[in-house]
Amino acid sequence: QLQFVESGGGLVQTGGSLRLSCYASGFTLDHFAVGWFRQVPGKYREGVSCIGSSDDATFYTESVKGRFTISRHNAKNTVYLQMNSLKPDDTAVYYCAAVGNCQQAQDEFNYWGQGTQVTVSS
């Protein structure tokens, strides 16, 4: 099955860091933009960050700008999300998915993973 596999989540204290990995299983990353999303109970899935397929342009939701960095390593078929200065509000299940370009809507993304849990304690 074609999907992403997310990993790297865990429990950290406020101000800590985590690096999430998004591995493409069964397909090649090169031609896709990749987005990171997060979801908490009672909320719709929120777009966190996105990286372009060829131009390496990056996008972030306002609440994570300056703290999170998205990157890609195509040879490893993996996209990363470095998360620094974590806050309790960052607690969520984090997902990644692929799309043609970062300007497309969330419901156009494909190959969703199972998610990885990030918990930030206060």
Side-chain angles (χ1 to χ4, degrees):
Q1 186 177 357
L2 304 182
Q3 67 174 47
F4 280 120
V5 179
E6 301 96 337
S7 62
L11 173 63
V12 298
Q13 295 183 358
T14 297
S17 297
L18 288 171
R19 188 179 73 160
L20 306 185
S21 296
C22 175
Y23 171 71
S25 177
F27 67 102
T28 301
L29 265 187
D30 303 54
H31 301 111
F32 291 98
V34 177
W36 281 98
F37 302 82
R38 63 188 181 187
Q39 188 168 25
V40 298
K43 298 286 187 178
Y44 287 106
R45 193 160 49 203
E46 175 192 20
V48 176
S49 184
C50 188
I51 185 166
S53 59
S54 60
D55 58 3
D56 291 329
T58 57
F59 305 88
Y60 302 91
T61 192
E62 190 68 29
S63 64
V64 308
K65 287 181 179 178
R67 301 188 297 118
F68 291 10
T69 303
I70 190 170
S71 62
R72 65 192 301 150
H73 195 321
N74 287 340
K76 295 181 178 180
N77 223 27
T78 301
V79 169
Y80 304 96
L81 185 67
Q82 178 67 45
M83 306 187 297
N84 298 326
S85 302
L86 283 162
K87 306 174 181 179
D89 285 348
D90 296 318
T91 295
V93 177
Y94 283 71
Y95 302 87
C96 58
V99 76
N101 63 78
C102 289
Q103 283 66 54
Q104 294 177 248
Q106 181 178 142
D107 61 6
E108 298 181 77
F109 281 70
N110 299 305
Y111 311 141
W112 293 89
Q114 80 292 333
T116 186
Q117 176 71 49
V118 171
T119 303
V120 185
S121 64
S122 59

